[in-house]
């Protein structure tokens, strides 16, 4: 009975998704780290009603995260999305059709410059 509050606290603490980012990198938890301005692959998938973003950088680091988790924090999403745009338009990262649709990557670079 004494352990129940402690176990509840540990369960609640560990169930959330921990995301952090710098100017050119996001990190999921403590181990998944990726350079967003050096991406070689940007793919989107679905699992039920959830959309996932799968990223891989030039060093082979991979990150798979729910798109909604990234978009909840506007500043974090802006950093990641700008890196994705750079990687797709400048570095020619490979994308799948779902990623191009979900992230609006089909738009020409001139569109982004006018905004």
């Amino acid at each position: 009975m004494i352990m129940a509050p402690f176990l509840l606290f540990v369960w609640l603490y560990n169930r959330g998704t921990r995301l952090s980012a710098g100017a050119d990198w996001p990190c999921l938890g403590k181990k998944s780290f990726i350079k967003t301005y050096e991406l070689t692959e940007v793919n989107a998938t679905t699992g039920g009603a959830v959309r996932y973003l799968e990223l891989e950088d030039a060093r082979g680091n991979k990150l798979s995260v729910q798109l909604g988790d990234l978009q909840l924090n506007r500043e974090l999403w802006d950093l990641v999305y700008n890196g994705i745009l750079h990687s797709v338009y400048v570095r020619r990262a490979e994308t799948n059709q779902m990623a191009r649709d979900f992230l609006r990557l089909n738009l020409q670079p001139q569109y982004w410059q006018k905004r």
Side-chain angles (χ1 to χ4, degrees), residues 91-109:
R91 297 180 61 91
R92 302 289 185 219
E94 294 181 22
T95 62
N96 65 0
Q97 185 63 47
M98 198 175 294
R100 290 189 297 275
D101 291 342
F102 287 166
L103 303 176
R104 300 181 70 189
L105 299 175
N106 291 327
L107 298 174
Q108 296 300 317

Side-chain angles (χ1 to χ4, degrees), residues 39-52:
L39 297 176
T40 57
E41 288 188 37
V42 178
N43 295 309
T45 60
T46 58
V50 179
R51 296 175 180 174
Y52 291 93

Side-chain angles (χ1 to χ4, degrees), residues 22-74:
D24 64 345
W25 58 268
C27 184
L28 175 65
K30 296 180 181 178
K31 298 181 181 180
S32 297
F33 173 86
I34 195 161
K35 301 287 277 182
T36 54
Y37 281 79
E38 299 176 12
L39 297 176
T40 57
E41 288 188 37
V42 178
N43 295 309
T45 60
T46 58
V50 179
R51 296 175 180 174
Y52 291 93
L53 189 59
E54 297 173 350
L55 308 172
E56 183 174 346
D57 69 13
R59 296 181 179 114
N61 299 321
K62 295 180 181 182
L63 177 70
S64 180
V65 63
Q66 286 186 22
L67 189 56
D69 287 343
L70 283 175
Q71 293 175 331
L72 283 174
N73 181 325
R74 180 63 178 210

